[in-house]
Amino acid sequence: MKDSKDRLEALRAEIERRNPAQPEFHQAVREVLETLAPVFAARPEYADPAVALVERLTEPERQIVFRVPWQDDRGRVHVNRGYRVEFNSALGPYKGGLRFHPSVDIGVVKFLGFEQIFKNALTGLGIGGGKGGSDFDPRGRSDAEVMRFCQSFMTELHRHIGEHTDVPAGDIGVGGREIGYLFGQYRRITNRWEAGVLTGKGAGWGGSAIRPQATGYGSVLFAAEMLKVRGESLDGLSAVVSGSGNVALYTIEKLQQLGANPLTCSDSHGYVVDDKGIDLALLKQVKEVERGRVSEYAQRRGSSARYVSDGRIWDVPADVAFPSATQNELDGQDARTLISNGIKAVSEGANMPTTPQAVRLLQEAGVAFGPGKAANAGGVAVSALEMSQNAARIAWSAQRVEEELAGIMRSIHAVAYETAERYGTPGDYVAGANIAGFERVADAMLAQGVI
Ligand code: NDP
Ligand code: 2IT
């Protein structure tokens, strides 16, 4: 065990040396490697330095970086940078979203792509891991500007993707509107109706029912499974939810369906606390229809809601928490606050929203903690179901997709739970998810030779 720990530590140091100035990628790799020592001790074939499995797993199969020039409505030309990191295809075509946000750089895309490998393995649906995006900021841009950006982005990206090669979808800043523009340009350039090249498409042109809802619904279902193990349920619990995008909105929706009371939402400017519980119809109107800010929700909601622009959303007392905005949004101090407020469970709707220190504190305090790789896998799982429907040229009912999603979330919970037990860390869903995802990818890589 000590030998494998030393080897993992040396590997981590070497990965950081070879990938400088990529803190999010280092963080994601470190968190996975830290949990693998027991599996290396039990299965020495994974640790054999002559096979270099971890070295291969942490090096993307392909990294594409490209120029994206586009014209704004006044005719001025802007240049953004586009990325697609095709990380691992041992289990299937590269699969993962595109993020449009000014903070996107190669390190962010690599952290997301690395996480995606294990998340996608956990779904059991035959998808590899990849991620992409751009430092383009869609906020404040007109539909026409977003369309021209997406067309320029796809003019390069199209040569790298395909239904059997690499299948992008949405992430921060990329929703149904952007997927529509991207799909249109792909179809035009390639002259192919290749529905399975992108997921998150619209209803009526290849999109799956429940894909918009899937990540948020899945994150709540994962929390429900964690609570069930402890003899509890979400019914009657209050919840703090961060973000107000795709994941947050449908987290709130599912919480309400299951009898819980989500009290909050947020954006990068501030958060809202609504003592009566979030009015989802109003929030959807503000965010999905008007593309506005959560402060506008508070203004229109009346006296039950207040807007806070200079505080921490995690200060709001609640029974369960759903970080659903972005990476490292819940830190050690926030974890201490949640613990002292009696939090029962935290389910990561976002990717890596909880800092390593915060994860440690929550787990030590006995809080049920669902890591993003497991808890937010419902989105990519329904993306894989969209690919299946596209391949068969059929569309399943919403009821069928929702049943499939519930079954997948139950099985991800079960495999993470059982794997943690098997390796002597009961209740540790971080270790369970990392090890279970790793075993599936590692076995496929070993079987497929030195690739
Ligand atoms: P959206 O773009 O729909 O919403 C993002 C939300 O997070 C907005 O409220 C946004 O506020 C806020 N946010 C983004 N960046 C920051 C930041 N740097 N600081 C504070 N707030 C921020 O994205 P999604 O809901 O799709 O994604 C949210 C998270 O869920 C991401 O971590 C994503 O990777 C993850 N995820 C998404 C999946 C999906 O299917 N969409 C699947 C699995 C995980 P503002 O508008 O002010 O920027
Ligand atoms: O982080 C994620 O899992 C996503 N953004 C969804 C990816 C997908 O291919 O549906």
Side-chain angles (χ1 to χ4, degrees), residues 142-209:
S142 69
D143 285 353
E145 289 173 325
V146 170
M147 181 182 76
R148 286 195 293 276
F149 176 81
C150 289
Q151 290 177 340
S152 181
F153 187 85
M154 186 54 87
T155 300
E156 172 60 31
L157 187 69
H158 86 275
R159 67 185 91 249
H160 307 290
I161 63 176
E163 62 177 330
H164 300 297
T165 307
D166 182 357
V167 182
D171 194 82
I172 290 177
V174 178
R177 173 182 62 171
E178 291 74 19
I179 294 293
Y181 296 147
L182 291 163
F183 185 73
Q185 184 74 347
Y186 183 85
R187 189 166 62 70
R188 184 181 196 187
I189 293 176
T190 60
N191 192 28
R192 282 164 65 87
W193 179 272
E194 188 185 334
V197 69
L198 290 170
T199 60
K201 299 180 296 294
W205 48 277
S208 175

Side-chain angles (χ1 to χ4, degrees), residues 139 243-246 248-249 252 265-269 280-297 300:
R139 272 193 295 163
S244 53
N246 172 264
L249 287 176
I252 291 169
C265 62
S266 67
D267 57 30
S268 52
H269 296 162
L280 188 58
L282 175 60
L283 186 60
K284 281 185 176 174
Q285 172 66 26
V286 170
K287 294 300 301 183
E288 288 190 324
V289 180
E290 300 168 20
R291 293 181 184 274
R293 314 302 303 162
V294 295
S295 56
E296 294 161 40
Y297 168 94
R300 274 145 71 176

Side-chain angles (χ1 to χ4, degrees), residues 59-87:
E59 181 72 16
E61 290 176 16
R62 191 174 298 105
Q63 304 182 55
I64 302 149
V65 184
F66 52 99
R67 178 173 70 199
V68 190
W70 59 280
Q71 255 179 323
D72 68 20
D73 288 343
R74 290 174 305 147
R76 200 175 143 206
V77 175
H78 300 256
V79 179
N80 285 100
R81 196 169 287 168
Y83 302 92
R84 187 72 184 166
V85 171
E86 298 180 333
F87 222 121

Side-chain angles (χ1 to χ4, degrees), residues 97-103 111-112 116 119 131 137-139 169-175 211-216 242-249 265-270 287 291-294 323-327 329 348-353 372 375-381 383:
L98 297 171
R99 176 177 291 190
F100 292 169
H101 192 273
S103 63
F111 121 62
L112 291 163
Q116 201 81 45
K119 183 196 306 191
K131 200 83 184 192
D137 188 354
R139 272 193 295 163
D171 194 82
I172 290 177
V174 178
R211 176 61 189 90
Q213 294 87 346
T215 309
S242 68
S244 53
N246 172 264
V247 178
L249 287 176
C265 62
S266 67
D267 57 30
S268 52
H269 296 162
K287 294 300 301 183
R291 293 181 184 274
R293 314 302 303 162
V294 295
S324 310
T326 193
Q327 61 269 14
E329 56 165 317
E348 290 189 322
N351 286 306
M352 210 169 75
N376 72 37
V380 77
S383 277

Side-chain angles (χ1 to χ4, degrees), residues 8 74 98 131 133 148 238 275 278 283 312 338 409:
L8 287 169
R74 290 174 305 147
L98 297 171
K131 200 83 184 192
R148 286 195 293 276
S238 58
D275 296 332
I278 295 290
L283 186 60
R312 303 290 294 170
L338 289 173
M409 295 315 297

Side-chain angles (χ1 to χ4, degrees), residues 87 89 308 367:
F87 222 121
S89 59
V308 183
V367 177

Side-chain angles (χ1 to χ4, degrees), residues 31 61 147 272 443:
E31 190 247 313
E61 290 176 16
M147 181 182 76
V272 168
D443 289 342

